[in-house]
Amino acid sequence: MLFRSENPFEIGNFLKKILLNLSCEDRQKILIYQKSSFVFLGLSMEKEAILFLDKALDLDNENVETLLTKGYILEKIDEIIESNKIYDEILKIDKKNLGALNNKGFNFYRQGYLDKAIKLIEDESGKHFDPAVVKAFKSALPKILEVYDKHKHI
């Protein structure tokens, strides 16, 4: 099948048709669907990105890498509450998943819930985060926030 186009939307739709008719083992589909979600995100086809992540999760609803990718893409399209629900699902599967903990904390900060983000870090002190690092982080937090606020527009 020969396809020629430079239109990103047409390319995305062509890719979608191929992926919807994919014939291979489930574990291969999961990987292909997950990785293709970034292609759709790059083409500004967020609904398709989520569609294929959901298809992968239909095959394995506890695939942490796919869940992390879905949480990340939901963050990118400003679906922060939904993103945090995904991170909660991950933490039910893997209580110490650094990606989920980190991203959920950052989402709290983005929502203006700095206190929730700090509490999440404190709650994981000694479990997932080194207590000395948590203490150093908390003492450096005012400076970190000052630098972030000064440069967040970049």
Side-chain angles (χ1 to χ4, degrees):
M1 175 186 304
L2 184 62
F3 174 79
R4 292 179 191 228
S5 178
E6 291 185 23
N7 179 311
F9 185 71
E10 289 175 2
I11 294 168
N13 281 328
F14 180 73
L15 178 59
K16 180 179 176 181
K17 285 180 190 177
I18 292 170
L19 292 172
L20 288 172
N21 294 304
L22 194 59
S23 177
C24 59
E25 293 180 26
D26 284 354
R27 61 188 175 85
Q28 292 170 323
K29 281 184 183 179
I30 291 168
L31 183 61
I32 292 168
Y33 289 160
Q34 181 203 21
K35 300 305 182 188
S36 68
S37 67
F38 287 110
V39 173
F40 287 111
L41 182 64
L43 294 171
S44 298
M45 297 176 74
E46 293 87 359
K47 287 181 184 177
E48 285 77 5
I50 298 298
L51 168 78
F52 284 103
L53 289 167
D54 286 341
K55 287 184 122 349
L57 291 168
D58 287 344
L59 298 170
D60 179 1
N61 66 349
E62 291 190 351
N63 185 302
V64 171
E65 189 174 347
T66 302
L67 287 165
L68 275 171
T69 302
K70 184 174 181 181
Y72 172 80
I73 288 178
L74 288 167
E75 281 179 48
K76 292 296 173 198
I77 60 174
D78 291 323
E79 294 287 341
I80 303 303
I81 293 170
E82 292 303 311
S83 176
N84 277 349
K85 288 178 184 177
I86 297 295
Y87 296 137
D88 287 339
E89 285 182 47
I90 293 167
L91 293 170
K92 287 178 189 173
I93 298 165
D94 176 5
K95 294 176 188 174
K96 296 184 177 193
N97 186 284
L98 183 57
L101 289 167
N102 180 58
N103 293 0
K104 186 174 180 180
F106 186 69
N107 282 346
F108 283 146
Y109 177 74
R110 284 183 60 198
Q111 291 176 292
Y113 301 127
L114 182 60
D115 55 330
K116 283 186 179 182
I118 293 170
K119 182 167 179 3
L120 181 67
I121 293 168
E122 289 173 338
D123 288 350
E124 292 300 316
S125 179
K127 299 175 193 169
H128 190 77
F129 300 119
D130 183 320
V133 173
V134 172
K135 184 177 178 182
F137 168 75
K138 286 179 63 178
S139 69
L141 188 58
K143 184 66 177 171
I144 292 168
L145 293 174
E146 178 186 324
V147 170
Y148 175 77
D149 287 336
K150 184 177 177 181
H151 298 287
K152 67 182 172 185
H153 66 281
I154 297 175

